[in-house]
């Protein structure tokens, strides 16, 4: 696994790979290099069997402040038409890398998560927040619409009304409020944030990884299809899960009255 990134810190501890976005002087705003590197590392992790859980977090006092706004000024100064949709293709590759990774991806959010940084956290499979977290769909503050999948993920997580409110008013949602409305899975005091994230990720990394990949496929497909299609998929995926060594180990461990030792196969 490559670790010499310009804008990321990458650290592996057992089956957990922690990727820290590292532009703290700009609250980890995305520039092209950080976007490219984060996408690359997640795509690499998808292929790496030694990594069974990925954690994405931010250096310094924030998760991330969205797109680096200094690039907006640079774009305006550049002659010729610029289509932001072309630039968004790179973010969409990152979103798909997270969703398609055959293992759990957890966003660990402390401090601010604004704009597209917020939506990258929403693209992750689960979110842990510190109680100082500030989620801001900041786009309307600068006359934009939520991008990076925000329009897709937000109503599915918090419902239509709250999604519209967060997108239009662009007010901060605190960590405890985010937990209350289902935007994050868990919110903990800042002092416990690191240890909670670590324990959560290590637990996932010791789980039945192939079953987790199939669960991702089932849940993410099922929110977009009818019941019949979902039930057909459920059968196909259960056939695959039944073939895994971890399924056999789970049943054996139950019958032998001992904790299961999953290998991810
Ligand atoms: O290009 C495309 O593909 C389109 C995609 C667009 C996606 C988007 O994400 S649009 C939304 C972009 N983000 C924002 O609009 C948020 C801008 N930042 C803020 O509103 C505030 O900084 C925060 C609410 C995030 C945090 O406030 P606060 O008071 O905690 O910190 P601060 O003092 O404002 O920021 C600290 C430093 O980070 C500061 O630099 P300085 O003065 O110390 O040299 C600030 O300028 C810098 N910073 C914060 N956010 C960004 C940033 N620099 C560049 N880009 C940023 N997004």
């Amino acid at each position: 696994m490559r670790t010499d990134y310009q804008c990321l810190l990458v650290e592996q501890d057992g089956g957990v790979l922690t990727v820290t976005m590292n532009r703290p002087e700009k609250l980890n705003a995305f520039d092209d290099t950080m976007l490219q590197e984060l996408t690359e590392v997640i795509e690499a992790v998808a292929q790496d069997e030694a990594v069974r859980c990925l954690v994405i977090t931010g250096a310094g006092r924030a998760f991330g402040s969205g797109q680096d706004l200094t690039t907006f000024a640079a774009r305006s100064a550049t002659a010729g038409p610029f289509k932001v949709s072309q630039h968004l293709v790179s973010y969409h590759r990152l979103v798909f890398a997270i969703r398609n990774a055959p293992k759990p991806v957890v966003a660990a959010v402390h401090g601010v998560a604004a704009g597209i940084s917020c939506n990258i956290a929403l693209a992750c499979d689960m979110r842990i927040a510190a109680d100082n977290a500030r989620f801001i769909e900041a786009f309307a503050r600068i006359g934009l619409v939520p991008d990076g999948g925000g329009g897709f993920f937000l109503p599915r997580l918090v419902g239509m009304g709250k999604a519209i409110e967060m997108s239009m008013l662009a007010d901060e949602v605190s960590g405890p409020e985010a937990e209350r409305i289902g935007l994050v899975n868990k919110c903990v005091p800042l002092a416990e944030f690191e240890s909670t994230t670590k324990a959560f990720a290590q637990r996932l990394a010791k789980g039945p990884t192939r079953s987790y990949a199939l669960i991702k496929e089932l849940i993410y497909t099922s929110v977009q299809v009818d019941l019949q299609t979902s039930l057909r998929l459920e059968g196909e995926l259960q056939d695959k899960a039944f073939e895994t060594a971890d399924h056999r180990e789970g049943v054996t461990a139950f019958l032998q009255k001992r904790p299961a030792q999953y290998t991810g196969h």
Side-chain angles (χ1 to χ4, degrees):
M1 174 68 59
R2 188 185 149 198
T3 52
D4 59 330
Y5 291 97
Q6 202 179 310
C7 301
L8 301 177
L9 304 171
V10 175
E11 189 191 359
Q12 186 158 358
D13 178 10
V16 177
L17 192 85
T18 300
V19 178
T20 305
M21 297 178 282
N22 190 30
R23 302 185 76 222
E25 69 290 351
K26 294 199 170 191
L27 305 183
N28 306 316
F30 274 100
D31 66 357
D32 286 349
T33 306
M34 195 172 90
L35 174 57
Q36 171 71 22
E37 289 184 346
L38 187 58
T39 308
E40 255 178 45
V41 76
I42 296 170
E43 288 175 348
V45 156
Q47 310 296 325
D48 187 343
E49 289 201 353
V51 177
R52 293 169 64 190
C53 177
L54 174 69
V55 175
I56 302 175
T57 193
R61 69 174 172 95
F63 180 79
S65 59
Q67 171 68 31
D68 189 324
L69 290 179
T70 54
T71 62
F72 278 45
R75 283 175 195 165
S76 313
T78 310
F82 172 80
K83 277 273 183 212
V84 76
S85 55
Q86 288 162 8
H87 189 241
L88 285 175
V89 169
S90 306
Y91 279 111
H92 298 167
R93 187 175 144 199
L94 170 58
V95 168
F96 279 118
I98 293 169
R99 296 295 270 215
N100 294 337
K103 51 200 75 181
V105 182
V106 178
V109 180
H110 63 291
V112 81
I116 206 152
S117 303
C118 179
N119 290 339
I120 294 306
L122 302 192
C124 293
D125 302 314
M126 285 181 271
R127 284 151 292 285
I128 295 183
D131 59 2
N132 75 341
R134 303 153 63 196
F135 294 87
I136 315 173
E137 288 291 337
F139 304 88
R141 289 187 182 183
I142 54 169
L144 297 179
V145 303
D147 58 24
F152 183 90
F153 302 126
L154 202 54
R156 283 168 171 77
L157 285 165
V158 298
M160 196 76 80
K162 201 72 193 170
I164 293 276
E165 179 192 321
M166 282 182 68
S167 301
M168 286 189 180
L169 299 183
D171 287 337
E172 292 186 14
V173 172
S174 69
E177 174 71 355
E179 183 183 52
R180 197 186 66 76
I181 65 176
L183 193 67
V184 304
N185 300 78
K186 195 190 275 279
C187 174
V188 295
L190 183 59
E192 295 165 24
F193 174 64
E194 220 178 294
S195 59
T196 303
T197 303
K198 192 172 171 180
F200 191 77
Q202 287 293 352
R203 178 178 167 188
L204 287 168
K206 291 181 176 139
T209 312
R210 288 193 56 202
S211 150
Y212 289 165
L214 298 169
I215 289 169
K216 282 180 74 160
E217 188 176 343
L218 179 61
I219 301 287
Y220 293 145
T221 306
S222 291
V223 289
Q224 298 172 72
V225 298
D226 59 27
L227 177 61
Q228 197 172 16
T229 310
S230 173
L231 294 182
R232 195 178 318 118
L233 179 65
E234 166 194 291
E236 286 166 22
L237 299 179
Q238 200 68 299
D239 281 344
K240 291 184 184 168
F242 256 74
E243 305 269 301
T244 63
D246 280 342
H247 163 60
R248 288 192 292 280
E249 163 62 7
V251 174
T252 306
F254 173 77
L255 295 175
Q256 295 178 349
K257 299 188 186 302
R258 61 168 174 81
Q261 300 287 326
Y262 292 120
T263 60
H265 295 107

